[in-house]
Amino acid sequence: MYSNSKSTFDKLAPEGLRSIVKQTLQTQLLKNCSLKWKGDMVLIVDDASTRIISKAMGMYDLMESRVYLVEQLKKKRAPYRQSAPIYFLSPTLDSVTKLIDDWTPNANTNANGRTEPLYADSIFLYFTKALPDELFMKIKSCKPLIRRLKAFSEINVDF
């Protein structure tokens, strides 16, 4: 009664954990952003989320969803006013503080003394796991960030 052909479940099931994480990131993060923003996007990551992204997908996968640049949150970054930022971060005090610094006007003073955001006015914010309430309140207190927020979610892929 055994058959060498795969069952329907086996045909639909991904090949492993890496495939599940990749599919989750593609559907919950990249596809969601692509539907809400028609232009180019920049992916901003911290150390923990870099490990997750780099294990699950390649640059080609990101570029298919119009993500043409991946930048580290901790490094100084050039402005890309035509590109929407996708922040994919671990829920730590350090990452949330740097996120808020990106959108606090006096933190982004350029050489001419003007304050400008680094990116376009649509922000997509995702966390690798559950965000503690105190960090949520910290984000909520940053009005320039909240005003531009188009997506905010926890994608449970940090395990």
Side-chain angles (χ1 to χ4, degrees):
M1 287 275 165
Y2 288 107
S3 171
N4 286 340
S5 66
K6 291 185 175 187
S7 70
T8 304
F9 177 75
D10 290 338
K11 290 177 187 174
L12 296 175
E15 290 129 23
L17 188 57
R18 184 175 291 173
S19 295
I20 293 169
V21 171
K22 179 179 180 178
Q23 184 178 11
T24 300
L25 292 173
Q26 285 177 324
T27 56
Q28 292 184 24
L29 188 137
L30 298 174
K31 186 176 181 182
N32 184 36
C33 296
S34 294
L35 292 173
K36 293 180 181 181
W37 179 261
K38 299 303 177 196
D40 295 344
M41 294 176 280
V42 177
L43 180 64
I44 298 121
V45 292
D46 58 13
D47 291 338
S49 59
T50 298
R51 287 191 294 277
I52 294 167
I53 286 281
S54 64
K55 296 285 184 192
M57 55 190 5
M59 194 62 196
Y60 178 80
D61 298 312
L62 296 172
M63 291 178 76
E64 281 186 321
S65 299
R66 297 190 320 275
V67 174
Y68 293 104
L69 184 61
V70 178
E71 294 196 309
Q72 284 289 325
L73 180 67
K74 66 183 175 185
K75 294 185 178 176
K76 187 173 175 80
R77 289 166 273 129
Y80 292 96
R81 290 290 300 140
Q82 302 301 318
S83 300
I86 304 172
Y87 288 90
F88 182 52
L89 308 172
S90 55
T92 63
L93 179 61
D94 186 47
S95 291
V96 169
T97 301
K98 287 183 172 77
L99 164 71
I100 290 170
D101 287 348
D102 277 359
W103 298 97
T104 303
N106 58 358
N108 295 322
T109 304
N110 64 16
N112 298 330
R114 287 195 345 234
T115 56
E116 292 181 2
L118 290 171
Y119 305 105
D121 287 338
S122 293
I123 302 169
F124 301 95
L125 179 56
Y126 297 91
F127 288 97
T128 61
K129 59 184 177 182
L131 181 70
D133 289 342
E134 60 272 7
L135 294 179
F136 178 77
M137 295 309 287
K138 190 172 174 79
I139 291 169
K140 190 176 168 184
S141 70
C142 182
K143 299 302 180 197
L145 171 65
I146 296 299
R147 186 172 69 236
R148 295 173 171 95
L149 205 57
K150 301 297 180 211
F152 181 81
S153 183
E154 298 163 342
I155 302 175
N156 295 308
V157 292
D158 191 9
F159 40 81

